[in-house]
Amino acid sequence: MTRLPRAIEDHIENHEDNFKVMDIVSHRYFPIFGQIPILPNFYAKGDDYDRIDGAKILRRAILNHKLDRLDVAKKYLYTFRHQPLKGHKIVFAEAIDGYKNLRLDDEDKRQLKVIQDVTGFNDFTFNIIRRKSDDKIVFIDTQLLGFSF
């Protein structure tokens, strides 16, 4: 997990109201999901902290096995500083522009198979991985649900 740049943290702090939603039944506030117009390079992923753990697992396997065609979208954790969510955390993920329709060559397939074998990750749908303009395949959704431990 990488720390959000200070300028982004300050921007979020000044606009915390844009990152929460009230449940109409319980009247409790929750961190939001989705892309927020005031922060276009990130997606809010609510309080789904296991995405950070999944990203760490994938990143470690990519580095340890020298999988040079693979990457993981950066994940960040922000702690709300104001009420009503003071102390609650929200996960942000780096927004990845890329191609959903992947054409995989033999080396791409080999590296994805290594990830599957080493980590148990098995969620290779187009919503989960994309190809960036630098030709790397990027895991954009890293929930632990995608792993079979």
Side-chain angles (χ1 to χ4, degrees), residues 1-3 48-65 67 70-77 89 91-94 115 118-121 138-144 147 149:
M1 177 186 67
T2 307
R3 183 186 168 117
D48 207 351
Y49 311 130
D50 72 341
R51 293 170 189 273
I52 292 171
D53 295 331
K56 286 179 184 177
I57 292 167
L58 291 169
R59 184 165 281 111
R60 191 175 315 120
I62 289 167
L63 292 172
N64 289 344
H65 295 276
L67 303 173
L70 305 180
D71 199 0
V72 181
K74 291 182 180 83
K75 303 293 190 274
Y76 305 91
L77 197 59
K89 296 180 181 353
V91 177
F92 286 95
E94 166 189 29
I115 286 292
V118 169
T119 68
F121 186 83
V138 181
F139 295 89
I140 58 172
D141 200 345
T142 58
Q143 284 180 291
L144 293 180
F147 295 81
F149 297 109

Coordinates of all heavy atoms in Angstrom, one line a residue, residues 1-3 48-65 67 70-77 89 91-94 115 118-121 138-144 147 149:
M1 N 0.8 -1.2 0.0 CA 0.0 0.0 0.0 C 0.9 1.2 0.0 O 1.8 1.3 0.7 CB -0.9 0.0 1.2 CG -1.8 1.2 1.3 SD -2.7 1.3 2.9 CE -1.4 1.5 4.1
T2 N 0.5 2.2 -0.8 CA 1.3 3.4 -0.9 C 0.5 4.5 -0.2 O -0.8 4.5 -0.3 CB 1.5 3.8 -2.4 OG1 2.0 2.6 -3.0 CG2 2.3 5.0 -2.6
R3 N 1.2 5.5 0.3 CA 0.5 6.6 1.0 C 0.0 7.6 -0.1 O 0.8 7.8 -1.1 CB 1.4 7.3 1.9 CG 0.7 8.4 2.6 CD 1.7 9.2 3.5 NE 1.1 10.4 3.9 CZ 0.8 10.7 5.2 NH1 1.2 9.9 6.1 NH2 0.2 11.8 5.5
D48 N -13.6 -1.5 1.9 CA -13.2 -2.8 1.5 C -11.7 -3.0 1.6 O -11.0 -3.0 0.6 CB -13.7 -3.1 0.1 CG -14.0 -4.5 -0.2 OD1 -13.7 -5.3 0.6 OD2 -14.6 -4.8 -1.3
Y49 N -11.2 -3.1 2.8 CA -9.7 -3.1 3.1 C -9.0 -4.3 2.5 O -7.8 -4.3 2.3 CB -9.5 -3.1 4.6 CG -10.2 -2.1 5.4 CD1 -10.9 -2.4 6.5 CD2 -10.2 -0.7 4.9 CE1 -11.6 -1.4 7.2 CE2 -10.9 0.2 5.6 CZ -11.6 -0.1 6.7 OH -12.3 0.8 7.4
D50 N -9.7 -5.4 2.2 CA -9.0 -6.6 1.7 C -8.5 -6.4 0.3 O -7.6 -7.1 -0.1 CB -9.9 -7.8 1.8 CG -11.0 -7.9 0.8 OD1 -11.4 -6.8 0.2 OD2 -11.6 -9.0 0.5
R51 N -8.9 -5.3 -0.4 CA -8.3 -5.0 -1.7 C -6.8 -4.6 -1.5 O -6.1 -4.9 -2.4 CB -9.1 -3.8 -2.3 CG -10.5 -4.1 -2.6 CD -11.2 -2.8 -3.0 NE -12.6 -3.0 -3.2 CZ -13.2 -3.4 -4.3 NH1 -12.5 -3.6 -5.3 NH2 -14.5 -3.5 -4.3
I52 N -6.5 -4.0 -0.4 CA -5.1 -3.7 -0.1 C -4.3 -4.9 0.1 O -3.2 -5.1 -0.5 CB -5.0 -2.7 1.1 CG1 -5.6 -1.4 0.7 CG2 -3.6 -2.6 1.5 CD1 -5.8 -0.4 1.8
D53 N -4.8 -5.9 0.8 CA -4.1 -7.2 1.0 C -3.9 -7.9 -0.3 O -2.9 -8.5 -0.6 CB -4.9 -8.0 2.0 CG -4.9 -7.4 3.4 OD1 -4.0 -6.7 3.8 OD2 -5.9 -7.6 4.1
G54 N -5.0 -7.9 -1.1 CA -4.9 -8.6 -2.4 C -3.9 -8.0 -3.3 O -3.1 -8.7 -4.0
A55 N -3.8 -6.6 -3.3 CA -2.8 -5.9 -4.1 C -1.4 -6.3 -3.6 O -0.5 -6.5 -4.4 CB -3.0 -4.4 -4.0
K56 N -1.2 -6.4 -2.3 CA 0.1 -6.7 -1.8 C 0.5 -8.1 -2.2 O 1.7 -8.4 -2.6 CB 0.1 -6.7 -0.2 CG 0.1 -5.3 0.3 CD 0.1 -5.3 1.8 CE 0.0 -3.9 2.4 NZ -0.1 -4.0 3.9
I57 N -0.4 -9.1 -2.1 CA -0.1 -10.5 -2.5 C 0.3 -10.5 -4.0 O 1.3 -11.2 -4.3 CB -1.3 -11.4 -2.3 CG1 -1.6 -11.5 -0.8 CG2 -1.2 -12.7 -2.9 CD1 -3.0 -12.1 -0.4
L58 N -0.5 -9.9 -4.9 CA -0.2 -9.9 -6.3 C 1.2 -9.2 -6.6 O 2.0 -9.7 -7.3 CB -1.3 -9.2 -7.1 CG -2.6 -10.0 -7.1 CD1 -3.7 -9.2 -7.7 CD2 -2.4 -11.3 -7.9
R59 N 1.4 -8.0 -6.0 CA 2.6 -7.3 -6.2 C 3.8 -8.1 -5.8 O 4.9 -8.1 -6.4 CB 2.6 -5.9 -5.5 CG 3.8 -5.0 -5.8 CD 3.6 -3.6 -5.4 NE 2.8 -2.9 -6.5 CZ 1.5 -2.5 -6.3 NH1 1.0 -2.6 -5.1 NH2 0.9 -1.9 -7.2
R60 N 3.7 -8.7 -4.6 CA 4.9 -9.5 -4.1 C 5.2 -10.7 -5.1 O 6.3 -10.9 -5.4 CB 4.5 -10.1 -2.7 CG 5.7 -10.7 -2.0 CD 5.4 -11.2 -0.6 NE 4.7 -10.1 0.2 CZ 3.4 -10.3 0.7 NH1 2.8 -11.5 0.6 NH2 2.9 -9.4 1.4
A61 N 4.1 -11.3 -5.6 CA 4.4 -12.4 -6.5 C 5.0 -11.9 -7.8 O 5.9 -12.6 -8.4 CB 3.0 -13.2 -6.8
I62 N 4.5 -10.8 -8.3 CA 5.0 -10.2 -9.6 C 6.5 -9.9 -9.4 O 7.3 -10.2 -10.2 CB 4.2 -8.9 -9.9 CG1 2.9 -9.3 -10.4 CG2 5.0 -8.1 -11.0 CD1 1.9 -8.2 -10.6
L63 N 6.9 -9.3 -8.3 CA 8.3 -9.0 -8.0 C 9.2 -10.2 -7.8 O 10.2 -10.4 -8.4 CB 8.4 -8.0 -6.8 CG 7.9 -6.6 -6.9 CD1 7.9 -5.9 -5.6 CD2 8.6 -5.9 -8.0
N64 N 8.7 -11.1 -7.0 CA 9.4 -12.4 -6.6 C 9.7 -13.2 -7.9 O 10.7 -13.9 -7.9 CB 8.8 -13.2 -5.5 CG 8.9 -12.5 -4.2 OD1 9.6 -11.6 -4.0 ND2 8.0 -12.9 -3.3
H65 N 8.7 -13.3 -8.8 CA 8.8 -14.1 -10.0 C 9.2 -13.4 -11.2 O 9.2 -13.9 -12.3 CB 7.5 -14.9 -10.1 CG 7.3 -15.9 -9.0 ND1 7.9 -17.1 -9.0 CD2 6.6 -15.7 -7.8 CE1 7.5 -17.7 -7.8 NE2 6.7 -16.9 -7.1
L67 N 7.8 -11.1 -13.1 CA 6.8 -11.1 -14.1 C 6.6 -9.7 -14.7 O 5.9 -8.9 -14.2 CB 5.4 -11.6 -13.5 CG 5.5 -13.0 -12.8 CD1 4.2 -13.3 -12.1 CD2 5.9 -14.0 -13.8
L70 N 3.3 -7.9 -16.0 CA 2.1 -7.7 -15.1 C 2.4 -6.5 -14.1 O 3.5 -6.2 -13.8 CB 1.9 -9.0 -14.3 CG 1.7 -10.3 -15.1 CD1 1.5 -11.4 -14.1 CD2 0.5 -10.1 -16.0
D71 N 1.3 -5.9 -13.7 CA 1.3 -4.8 -12.7 C 0.0 -4.8 -11.9 O -0.9 -5.5 -12.2 CB 1.5 -3.5 -13.5 CG 2.0 -2.4 -12.6 OD1 2.3 -2.6 -11.4 OD2 2.2 -1.3 -13.1
V72 N 0.0 -4.1 -10.8 CA -1.2 -4.0 -10.0 C -1.5 -2.5 -9.8 O -0.6 -1.7 -9.5 CB -0.9 -4.6 -8.6 CG1 -2.1 -4.5 -7.7 CG2 -0.5 -6.0 -8.7
A73 N -2.7 -2.1 -9.9 CA -3.1 -0.7 -9.6 C -2.8 -0.4 -8.2 O -3.1 -1.2 -7.3 CB -4.6 -0.5 -9.9
K74 N -2.3 0.8 -7.9 CA -1.9 1.1 -6.6 C -3.2 1.3 -5.7 O -4.2 1.8 -6.2 CB -1.1 2.4 -6.6 CG 0.2 2.3 -7.2 CD 1.0 3.6 -7.1 CE 2.4 3.5 -7.7 NZ 2.4 3.5 -9.2
K75 N -3.1 0.9 -4.5 CA -4.2 1.1 -3.5 C -3.7 2.0 -2.4 O -2.6 2.0 -2.0 CB -4.6 -0.3 -3.0 CG -5.0 -1.3 -4.0 CD -6.3 -0.9 -4.7 CE -6.8 -2.0 -5.5 NZ -6.3 -2.1 -6.9
Y76 N -4.7 2.8 -1.9 CA -4.3 3.8 -0.9 C -5.4 3.7 0.2 O -6.6 3.4 -0.1 CB -4.3 5.2 -1.4 CG -3.4 5.4 -2.6 CD1 -3.9 5.2 -3.9 CD2 -2.1 5.8 -2.4 CE1 -3.0 5.4 -5.0 CE2 -1.2 6.0 -3.5 CZ -1.7 5.8 -4.8 OH -0.9 6.0 -5.9
L77 N -5.0 4.1 1.4 CA -6.0 4.1 2.5 C -6.0 5.5 3.1 O -5.0 6.1 3.3 CB -5.5 3.1 3.6 CG -6.5 2.7 4.7 CD1 -7.7 2.0 4.1 CD2 -5.9 1.8 5.7
K89 N -12.0 4.5 7.7 CA -11.1 4.5 6.6 C -11.8 4.2 5.3 O -12.8 3.5 5.3 CB -10.0 3.4 6.8 CG -9.2 3.7 8.1 CD -8.1 2.7 8.3 CE -7.3 2.8 9.5 NZ -7.3 4.0 10.3
V91 N -10.8 3.1 1.1 CA -9.8 2.7 0.2 C -9.9 3.4 -1.2 O -11.1 3.6 -1.7 CB -9.9 1.2 -0.1 CG1 -8.9 0.7 -1.1 CG2 -9.8 0.4 1.2
F92 N -8.8 3.9 -1.7 CA -8.8 4.5 -3.0 C -7.9 3.6 -3.9 O -6.9 3.1 -3.4 CB -8.2 5.9 -3.0 CG -9.2 6.9 -2.4 CD1 -9.1 7.3 -1.1 CD2 -10.2 7.5 -3.2 CE1 -10.0 8.2 -0.5 CE2 -11.1 8.4 -2.7 CZ -11.0 8.8 -1.3
A93 N -8.3 3.5 -5.1 CA -7.5 2.8 -6.1 C -7.1 3.7 -7.3 O -8.0 4.5 -7.7 CB -8.3 1.6 -6.6
E94 N -5.9 3.5 -7.7 CA -5.5 4.3 -8.9 C -6.4 3.9 -10.1 O -6.7 2.8 -10.4 CB -4.0 3.8 -9.2 CG -3.5 4.2 -10.5 CD -2.1 3.6 -10.8 OE1 -1.9 2.4 -10.3 OE2 -1.4 4.2 -11.5
I115 N 0.9 -16.4 -11.7 CA 0.1 -15.7 -10.6 C -0.9 -16.6 -10.0 O -1.1 -16.7 -8.8 CB -0.5 -14.4 -11.2 CG1 0.5 -13.3 -11.4 CG2 -1.7 -13.9 -10.3 CD1 1.1 -12.8 -10.1
V118 N 0.8 -19.4 -7.9 CA 1.6 -18.9 -6.7 C 0.6 -18.3 -5.7 O 0.8 -18.5 -4.5 CB 2.7 -17.9 -7.1 CG1 3.2 -17.2 -5.9 CG2 3.7 -18.6 -7.9
T119 N -0.4 -17.5 -6.2 CA -1.2 -16.8 -5.2 C -2.6 -17.4 -5.0 O -3.3 -17.0 -4.1 CB -1.4 -15.3 -5.7 OG1 -2.2 -15.3 -6.9 CG2 -0.1 -14.7 -5.9
G120 N -3.1 -18.2 -6.0 CA -4.4 -18.7 -5.9 C -5.4 -17.7 -6.6 O -6.6 -18.0 -6.6
F121 N -4.9 -16.6 -7.1 CA -5.8 -15.7 -7.8 C -6.4 -16.3 -9.0 O -5.7 -16.9 -9.8 CB -5.0 -14.4 -8.2 CG -5.9 -13.3 -8.7 CD1 -6.6 -12.5 -7.9 CD2 -6.1 -13.1 -10.1 CE1 -7.4 -11.5 -8.3 CE2 -6.9 -12.1 -10.6 CZ -7.6 -11.3 -9.7
V138 N -2.7 -5.1 -16.1 CA -2.8 -4.6 -14.8 C -4.0 -5.2 -14.1 O -5.1 -5.2 -14.6 CB -3.0 -3.0 -14.8 CG1 -3.1 -2.5 -13.4 CG2 -1.8 -2.4 -15.6
F139 N -3.8 -5.6 -12.8 CA -4.9 -6.1 -12.0 C -5.5 -4.8 -11.4 O -4.8 -4.1 -10.6 CB -4.4 -7.0 -10.9 CG -3.8 -8.3 -11.4 CD1 -2.5 -8.4 -11.8 CD2 -4.6 -9.4 -11.6 CE1 -2.0 -9.6 -12.3 CE2 -4.1 -10.6 -12.1 CZ -2.8 -10.7 -12.5
I140 N -6.8 -4.6 -11.7 CA -7.4 -3.4 -11.1 C -8.3 -3.7 -9.9 O -8.5 -2.8 -9.2 CB -8.2 -2.6 -12.2 CG1 -9.3 -3.4 -12.9 CG2 -7.2 -2.1 -13.3 CD1 -10.2 -2.7 -13.8
D141 N -8.8 -4.9 -9.8 CA -9.6 -5.2 -8.7 C -8.9 -6.4 -8.0 O -8.7 -7.4 -8.5 CB -11.0 -5.6 -9.2 CG -12.0 -5.5 -8.1 OD1 -11.6 -5.5 -6.9 OD2 -13.2 -5.6 -8.4
T142 N -8.6 -6.1 -6.7 CA -7.8 -7.1 -6.0 C -8.4 -7.6 -4.7 O -7.8 -7.9 -3.7 CB -6.4 -6.4 -5.6 OG1 -6.7 -5.3 -4.9 CG2 -5.7 -6.1 -6.9
Q143 N -9.8 -7.7 -4.7 CA -10.5 -8.2 -3.6 C -10.0 -9.7 -3.3 O -9.7 -10.4 -4.2 CB -12.0 -8.3 -3.8 CG -12.6 -6.9 -3.7 CD -14.1 -7.0 -3.9 OE1 -14.5 -7.3 -5.0 NE2 -14.9 -6.8 -2.9
L144 N -10.0 -10.0 -2.0 CA -9.6 -11.4 -1.7 C -10.6 -12.4 -2.2 O -10.3 -13.6 -2.3 CB -9.4 -11.5 -0.2 CG -8.2 -10.7 0.4 CD1 -8.1 -10.9 1.9 CD2 -6.9 -11.1 -0.3
F147 N -9.3 -14.7 -4.9 CA -8.3 -15.7 -4.6 C -9.0 -17.0 -4.1 O -10.0 -16.9 -3.4 CB -7.3 -15.2 -3.5 CG -6.5 -14.0 -3.9 CD1 -7.0 -12.7 -3.9 CD2 -5.2 -14.2 -4.3 CE1 -6.3 -11.6 -4.3 CE2 -4.4 -13.1 -4.7 CZ -5.0 -11.8 -4.7
F149 N -7.8 -19.6 -1.6 CA -6.7 -20.0 -0.6 C -7.0 -21.4 -0.1 O -8.0 -21.8 0.1 CB -6.7 -19.0 0.6 CG -6.3 -17.6 0.2 CD1 -7.2 -16.6 0.2 CD2 -5.0 -17.3 -0.3 CE1 -6.9 -15.3 -0.2 CE2 -4.7 -16.0 -0.7 CZ -5.6 -15.0 -0.6

